[in-house]
């Protein structure tokens, strides 16, 4: 089955601590991979994408992700989070034709003071 | 602001009523997507337009759903005889391109509540 799996539905973390949000993809999903962020009552904003090349991808707001083909993973990391990073994060891949996105169920990141 | 816009932002309706949502993509974007996001889930693909042609529809898009993009610019999504299970956020995205990957830009969504 074509799927993207986010292993944690919620991740609580204290401000200024590091965080990792986990994502695994099935082999039938193309290796175009993305992380999106969704703030309350807003649409999705692209954080970063992996299309090819270096397996370490840097995105906006200090986030980065590492593509690992052998482990079919694309985990998102930030070395030091802020209260403003509190949001829902979605991992996604391209499925089938026309570049339609298939999303994971999302991980709610809650940053506490 | 030249981003993707959606109207209305919120819609509350009674079961059995028809509703229509509008999406205005970024100018000159030829690709337009509709996704549905239910509570606690990621968005799910509904349908795709390239210019005015609807090229793909998900199995999620029952006969009660219809989407159009008459002039290759804005798009509408209509749900007939709404059911409580239709309650969700409906997201529109647009991108520019034909064969290679191009970033999809998302609108703020229309939140539908069916009572």
């Amino acid at each position: 089955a074509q799927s993207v799996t986010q292993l944690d539905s919620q991740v609580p973390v204290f401000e200024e601590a590091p965080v990792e949000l986990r994502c695994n993809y099935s082999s039938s999903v193309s290796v175009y991979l993305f992380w999106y962020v969704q703030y309350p009552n807003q649409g999705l904003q692209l954080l970063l994408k992996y299309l090819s090349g270096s397996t370490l991808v840097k995105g906006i707001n200090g986030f980065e992700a590492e593509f690992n083909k052998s482990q079919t993973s694309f985990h998102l990391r930030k070395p030091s989070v802020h209260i403003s990073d509190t949001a829902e994060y979605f991992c996604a891949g391209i499925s089938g034709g026309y570049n339609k996105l298939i999303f994971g169920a999302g991980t709610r990141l809650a940053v506490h003071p | 602001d030249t981003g993707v816009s959606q109207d209305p932002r919120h819609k509350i309706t009674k079961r059995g009523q028809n509703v229509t949502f509008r999406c205005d993509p970024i100018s000159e974007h030829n690709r337009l997507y509709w996704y549905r996001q239910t509570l606690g889930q990621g968005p799910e693909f509904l349908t795709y337009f390239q210019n005015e042609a609807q090229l793909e529809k998900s199995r999620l898009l029952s006969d009660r759903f219809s989407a159009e993009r008459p002039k290759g610019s804005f798009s509408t999504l209509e749900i007939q005889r709404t059911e409580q299970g239709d309650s969700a956020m409906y997201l529109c995205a647009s991108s520019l391109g034909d064969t290679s990957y191009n970033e999809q830009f998302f609108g703020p969504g229309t939140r539908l509540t069916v009572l």
Side-chain angles (χ1 to χ4, degrees):
Chain A
Q2 299 171 326
S3 69
V4 173
T5 303
Q6 292 184 244
L7 300 169
D8 307 293
S9 60
Q10 296 185 61
V11 173
V13 63
F14 287 109
E15 194 174 18
E16 298 183 5
V19 70
E20 178 180 83
L21 305 184
R22 297 180 293 168
C23 172
N24 286 91
Y25 64 93
S26 70
S27 57
S28 56
V29 172
S30 78
V31 290
Y32 289 177
L33 297 166
F34 313 88
W35 276 97
Y36 284 85
V37 61
Q38 186 176 38
Y39 298 102
N41 299 315
Q42 295 187 27
L44 298 169
Q45 180 182 7
L46 183 65
L47 274 179
L48 48 80
K49 60 181 181 281
Y50 174 79
L51 303 181
S52 64
S54 172
T55 57
L56 184 62
V57 180
K58 294 189 182 297
I60 62 172
N61 301 341
F63 284 93
E64 62 181 33
E66 185 160 15
F67 171 68
N68 188 318
K69 187 175 181 180
S70 63
Q71 296 185 8
T72 60
S73 68
F74 189 56
H75 300 334
L76 180 71
R77 302 186 184 99
K78 187 170 182 177
S80 175
V81 295
H82 303 286
I83 296 287
S84 60
D85 291 324
T86 294
E88 189 90 20
Y89 291 79
F90 294 95
C91 184
I94 297 289
S95 175
Y98 306 125
N99 288 336
K100 60 181 180 288
L101 292 166
I102 182 168
F103 289 87
T107 298
R108 181 169 297 278
L109 176 64
V111 181
H112 301 284
Chain B
D1 181 58
T2 57
V4 179
S5 61
Q6 292 187 245
D7 183 71
R9 295 290 306 275
H10 304 273
K11 178 70 176 178
I12 300 174
T13 190
K14 292 182 179 179
R15 188 177 54 185
Q17 298 295 305
N18 300 341
V19 294
T20 300
F21 310 142
R22 177 180 170 124
C23 170
D24 286 90
I26 293 172
S27 179
E28 298 182 355
H29 275 192
N30 59 333
R31 293 178 168 181
L32 188 145
Y33 304 80
W34 285 98
Y35 294 86
R36 181 172 69 185
Q37 184 180 17
T38 53
L39 202 61
Q41 298 298 318
E44 296 173 294
F45 169 77
L46 289 180
T47 190
Y48 163 71
F49 288 87
Q50 185 159 315
N51 300 309
E52 67 276 7
Q54 188 176 21
L55 297 185
E56 187 167 352
K57 294 192 295 184
S58 163
R59 288 174 295 175
L60 294 174
L61 217 63
S62 75
D63 292 344
R64 297 185 296 105
F65 287 71
S66 62
E68 295 182 342
R69 195 182 182 196
K71 297 182 180 179
S73 57
F74 74 92
S75 176
T76 58
L77 178 67
E78 181 183 13
I79 308 175
Q80 296 182 328
R81 305 180 304 281
T82 53
E83 302 173 355
Q84 288 186 327
D86 297 331
S87 295
M89 175 79 87
Y90 291 83
L91 295 166
C92 175
S94 71
S95 70
L96 178 65
D98 48 14
T99 57
S100 62
Y101 170 76
N102 294 90
E103 180 181 345
Q104 292 181 33
F105 294 85
F106 282 81
T110 294
R111 182 170 296 282
L112 172 66
T113 302
V114 181
L115 301 177

